[in-house]
Structure formats: structure tokens, C-alpha cells
């Protein structure tokens, strides 16, 4: 469960960063996909899946926190369909490198868990 909450926090951060405004903002998510060498169609699909993570905030704000883990798992499964196993592993590494110096304590407090 801790891992799922961490993944959620990271992906919400990514989607907020990447999809906060205009199409140009999608470059934030692209940095996690760049070294995967995806063709245009698969890159677009992966970007769409990542953009859907912004719905986690809506679920939380609507008092539907109990739906978040299943939603996240569904999004991850969709991403795994688009990416090969090796690409998904690299994607996770890309996120891990980005998240190393981030403070996710706010997300942990919102989830009822203790942050760092």
C-alpha cells in the first residue's frame, strides 16, 4: 500500500507538472518517456494515460479517496499495455530519478500516512 501511495504521489506530481495548462506543458511528461524511443502513436497513448492521473486530485477533492488505489492500478495497467516490460522499467527508473529530491510529505499527510 505504501508503494501505491508513493506511486500515486509521484504520478500526481508528474501530471500536475505536465498537464497544468497548455499543450506545451506536456513536455514535463515527455521527459519520462524520451529515452524510451516510442513511436508517435505509442508516445501519444502514454501521454494520454499520464494526463489522466490528474483525476486523482479530483477524486480526493470529491471525498472519493477510497477509489484512488483502484484508479491508479488501472492507469498503471493501461500504461503497461502500451509499453514493453523493458520500457516500463525504464519509465519507472526515470520517475525514480526525478523523485529522488522531491518532498512528498504533503501527499503522505493527505493520505493519512507519515511523510519523510
Amino acid at each position: 500500500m505504501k508503494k501505491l501511495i508513493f506511486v500515486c504521489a509521484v504520478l500526481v506530481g508528474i501530471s500536475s507538472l505536465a498537464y497544468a495548462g497548455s499543450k506545451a506543458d506536456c513536455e514535463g511528461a515527455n521527459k519520462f518517456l524520451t529515452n524510451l524511443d516510442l513511436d508517435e502513436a505509442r508516445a501519444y497513448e502514454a501521454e494520454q494515460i499520464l494526463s489522466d492521473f490528474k483525476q486523482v486530485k479530483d477524486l480526493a477533492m470529491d471525498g472519493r479517496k477510497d477509489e484512488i488505489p483502484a484508479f491508479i492500478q488501472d492507469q498503471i495497467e493501461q500504461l503497461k499495455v502500451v509499453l514493453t516490460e523493458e520500457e516500463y522499467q525504464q519509465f519507472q527508473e526515470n520517475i525514480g530519478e526525478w523523485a529522488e529530491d522531491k518532498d512528498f510529505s504533503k501527499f503522505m499527510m493527505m493520505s493519512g500516512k507519515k511523510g519523510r
Side-chain angles (χ1 to χ4, degrees):
M1 186 61 157
K2 280 185 177 182
K3 185 176 180 180
L4 186 59
I5 291 171
F6 176 74
V7 169
C8 172
V10 170
L11 292 172
V12 167
I14 292 167
S15 66
S16 298
L17 173 79
Y19 297 94
S22 69
K23 183 71 173 166
D25 291 329
C26 290
E27 293 175 13
N30 286 342
K31 72 178 166 184
F32 302 109
L33 303 172
T34 300
N35 64 345
L36 302 185
D37 197 31
L38 301 176
D39 61 57
E40 192 173 317
R42 289 192 318 129
Y44 178 79
E45 284 183 71
E47 289 170 6
Q48 293 304 304
I49 293 166
L50 291 177
S51 74
D52 287 345
F53 274 97
K54 64 185 170 191
Q55 293 177 34
V56 169
K57 180 180 176 184
D58 296 335
L59 290 171
M61 299 298 284
D62 291 343
R64 298 166 47 200
K65 292 180 184 179
D66 57 326
E67 296 176 32
I68 293 173
F71 175 81
I72 292 170
Q73 190 61 44
D74 182 55
Q75 296 304 111
I76 290 171
E77 293 305 318
Q78 288 181 40
L79 195 57
K80 286 180 176 181
V81 169
V82 174
L83 304 177
T84 66
E85 188 174 326
E86 293 80 19
E87 290 167 341
Y88 183 73
Q89 290 297 324
Q90 183 61 54
F91 173 77
Q92 287 184 310
E93 288 178 29
N94 295 346
I95 290 174
E97 290 171 10
W98 172 83
E100 279 180 358
D101 62 344
K102 304 295 186 265
D103 180 7
F104 293 102
S105 59
K106 281 188 200 178
F107 291 105
M108 297 303 283
M109 287 188 308
M110 290 188 324
S111 71
K113 307 290 182 193
K114 292 185 179 181
R116 53 168 149 156

